Amino acid sequence: MKVMKFGGTSVGTPQRMKNVVELINSDNDQKIVVLSAMSGTTNMLYEISDYLYKKNPVGANENINTMEEKYQQHVEDLYTSDEYKQKAKDFLKQEFDYIRSFTKGVFTMFEEKIIVGQGEILSTNMVTLYLQEQGFNATLLPALEFMRTDKNEEPDLEYIHEKLKAQLDENPDYNIYITQGFICRNAYGEVDNLKRGGSDYSASLIGAAIEASEIQIWTDIDGMHNNDPRFVEGTQPVSSLNFEEASELAYFGAKILHPTCVQPAKFASVPVKLLNTMQPDAPGTVISNKTERGKIKAVAAKDDICAINITSSRMLLAYGFLRKVFEIFETYKTSIDMVTTSEVGVSVSIDNTTNLSQILNELKKLGTVKVDMNMCIICVVGDLDWRNVGFEALASDALKGIPIRMISYGGSNHNISFLVAAEDKKRALQALSNHLFND
Ligand code: ASP
Ligand code: MG
């Protein structure tokens, strides 16, 4: 069995939904199809919640009505038979009445979690009805029956595996199982979600739970590119990545894949394919356990980074200094991306500056502190094992002429990171593309 996931843009209009159904049925394999909400819907649901938090039910209702009208219009464009048009209209009526019911009572984060998950309920029901109208052997598996997080807000893999298997065993005779991305229950059984963009994560968890033959993530770009196409011309899709390379790229800026998504697939050794709904025959990117030896694969950038340098002569020949530094970041729940050290100082980079002033106050007790804001991490990813001689030289050679605040190499076998000023980002990305991929 395989897993296919389609994002918000891929199901963004009735026509796109029809294209998705065509892709789902391009072979007869049994599959679980994970859908996001139609693009714009989740944002709108957050907006509605915001009005309700602000105790403005009129504002919320206006948005709910606009949304309902739009969805009712989709019914005309998607279905052909009166029978299914009626079924879809009845479903939408019931759904929007349900959403409207939240404008009357108290509104807390529990209600918000329910409301923002309705986009996936809408899209999956509409597509399932369409599949059934077209005569396909499809059914809906409610994600809230099997997708669950534990007390640490981490996916409860054992529970997911057990419950999903039970659901499939109870509904054995279908070819196509449609389910919702993003939504789940928490350890207490309450409705929750896997955070914004979490449908990729849902797909990966489902693929791991059923040990799928592969997980296909369908978007509107032809795979992960070797550099950021928004800043660099002539980028190319990367045909294969190993799981570590893909995690680094997802974390350091390649927007196509949610950073947490790779982990479950990696643990279960299920390959992940990134494919393009607009160009279904393009090979896309395959993420698997295989490493292409000695190859630099791609470059990515992460913005809004802050670099902090602490120097102290107390660090000289002392132990325990780094622990004290790191503990301050831990206290303020701030994760560190890059670290470089010398005998008398350490530099770190962070992207969450919510608690920066408290962190700086504490650090000043340990040494002299300097801060550089508006920095950018440029990350080069590939098989960069230290025995592959010369790759770090190649990367830094490309960046000659650009001021570099920090360099980090050797943390993993797959990454060299450079910290540069935000204004040098575009130049740095272009220089790396020219030097690493185009020469
Ligand atoms: N619909 C959710 C969101 O927009 C989840 C997803 O699209 O992955 O964040
Ligand atoms: Mg989305």
Side-chain angles (χ1 to χ4, degrees):
M1 188 144 30
K2 68 182 175 196
V3 175
M4 301 173 87
K5 180 259 166 177
F6 295 91
T9 322
S10 305
V11 292
T13 64
Q15 185 53 47
R16 293 255 168 99
M17 285 183 171
K18 291 182 190 178
N19 298 347
V20 161
V21 163
E22 218 171 284
L23 287 170
I24 296 173
N25 289 295
S26 59
D27 62 38
N28 289 322
D29 298 352
Q30 228 185 6
K31 56 201 61 131
I32 299 184
V33 178
V34 181
L35 300 181
S36 295
M38 296 178 83
S39 52
T41 296
T42 312
N43 285 345
M44 184 63 115
L45 292 165
Y46 273 102
E47 178 90 2
I48 290 166
S49 303
D50 198 39
Y51 277 111
L52 294 175
Y53 272 125
K54 299 193 161 93
K55 299 201 176 17
N56 179 354
V58 178
N61 269 318
E62 269 172 31
N63 281 303
I64 296 171
N65 293 345
T66 314
M67 225 175 124
E68 180 167 16
E69 261 168 53
K70 207 173 88 192
Y71 272 86
Q72 290 288 2
Q73 179 56 43
H74 295 332
V75 170
E76 297 303 324
D77 302 337
L78 186 57
Y79 306 95
T80 37
S81 67
D82 288 341
E83 184 196 349
Y84 274 86
K85 281 184 187 174
Q86 197 53 51
K87 279 191 189 180
K89 280 183 185 161
D90 292 346
F91 161 73
L92 290 179
K93 169 93 179 47
Q94 177 200 323
E95 212 7 66
F96 281 97
D97 282 348
Y98 179 57
I99 296 175
R100 235 175 248 112
S101 72
F102 291 93
T103 61
K104 302 205 174 83
V106 282
F107 197 78
T108 68
M109 62 186 251
F110 298 108
E111 284 76 24
E112 180 191 79
K113 293 273 173 64
I114 297 175
I115 286 204
V116 299
Q118 296 307 307
E120 274 71 13
I121 304 281
L122 285 161
S123 63
T124 49
N125 274 279
M126 286 171 67
V127 170
T128 306
L129 279 176
Y130 178 69
L131 280 160
Q132 289 168 348
E133 181 187 45
Q134 300 299 310
F136 294 111
N137 190 18
T139 192
L140 186 63
L141 295 183
L144 296 182
E145 301 282 322
F146 61 83
M147 193 53 79
R148 190 170 167 130
T149 53
D150 61 19
K151 291 206 166 97
N152 302 316
E153 294 180 42
E154 294 294 333
D156 187 338
L157 295 173
E158 217 165 294
Y159 183 97
I160 298 167
H161 169 78
E162 235 169 71
K163 293 289 171 173
L164 180 54
K165 193 171 171 302
Q167 287 273 313
L168 291 169
D169 288 345
E170 273 168 41
N171 302 282
D173 300 323
Y174 291 95
N175 227 12
I176 303 165
Y177 300 92
I178 304 283
T179 193
Q180 297 90 15
F182 182 54
I183 56 174
C184 63
R185 286 187 192 276
N186 63 19
Y188 312 99
E190 297 151 354
V191 174
D192 205 337
N193 61 59
L194 299 171
K195 314 236 159 63
R196 294 308 305 267
S199 298
D200 288 349
Y201 201 18
S202 303
S204 178
L205 289 164
I206 290 169
I210 62 165
E211 292 179 4
S213 54
E214 63 184 41
I215 299 161
Q216 301 179 347
I217 308 275
W218 291 83
T219 63
D220 48 9
I221 172 166
D222 51 350
M224 224 184 249
H225 276 226
N226 60 5
N227 206 328
D228 192 329
R230 291 168 302 177
F231 301 98
V232 174
E233 275 170 36
T235 62
Q236 296 289 326
V238 181
S239 61
S240 74
L241 289 168
N242 74 23
F243 285 115
E244 280 79 12
E245 291 165 342
S247 304
E248 304 262 15
L249 285 173
Y251 182 71
F252 285 108
K255 289 282 174 293
I256 176 169
L257 195 64
H258 195 271
T260 51
C261 158
V262 179
Q263 295 312 318
K266 178 184 157 190
F267 285 124
S269 272
V270 180
V272 177
K273 280 190 187 161
L274 308 178
L275 297 162
N276 185 357
T277 32
M278 314 292 162
Q279 228 183 306
D281 297 328
T285 301
V286 183
I287 304 166
S288 71
N289 278 328
K290 293 194 196 89
T291 303
E292 269 184 89
R293 290 283 161 225
K295 255 190 111 170
I296 295 185
K297 289 300 182 66
V299 177
K302 192 168 183 219
D303 298 322
D304 296 325
I305 302 295
C306 162
I308 306 171
N309 173 256
I310 309 111
T311 46
S312 167
S313 50
R314 275 193 281 160
M315 194 171 158
L316 195 67
L317 302 173
Y319 52 82
F321 185 82
L322 287 178
R323 179 178 55 79
K324 287 183 200 137
V325 170
F326 288 142
E327 260 172 8
I328 293 171
F329 290 90
E330 188 186 347
T331 306
Y332 291 100
K333 294 193 164 47
T334 300
S335 74
I336 294 170
D337 283 330
M338 286 176 74
V339 184
T340 55
T341 67
S342 83
E343 195 42 48
V344 290
V346 50
S347 279
V348 302
S349 82
I350 60 174
D351 68 342
N352 173 0
T353 51
T354 321
N355 296 315
L356 183 62
S357 57
Q358 292 99 312
I359 290 172
L360 295 180
N361 277 338
E362 295 290 325
L363 287 174
K364 281 178 188 158
K365 296 176 189 162
L366 299 179
T368 310
V369 179
K370 284 199 203 93
V371 181
D372 293 295
M373 303 294 284
N374 292 325
M375 307 295 286
C376 166
I377 296 178
I378 306 279
C379 155
V380 178
V381 167
D383 178 33
L384 298 167
D385 186 290
W386 65 279
R387 294 173 200 87
N388 293 328
V389 179
F391 283 159
E392 67 289 352
L394 206 58
S396 42
D397 194 35
L399 295 176
K400 66 174 178 258
I402 296 175
I404 292 171
R405 170 71 181 75
M406 288 166 73
I407 300 179
S408 178
Y409 171 57
S412 85
N413 281 337
H414 302 284
N415 171 336
I416 310 173
S417 295
F418 299 89
L419 191 70
V420 302
E423 69 226 37
D424 291 324
K425 166 181 167 174
K426 195 172 174 214
R427 200 154 62 104
L429 289 175
Q430 187 68 60
L432 283 164
S433 256
N434 296 348
H435 205 68
L436 300 177
F437 308 127
N438 300 348
D439 279 357

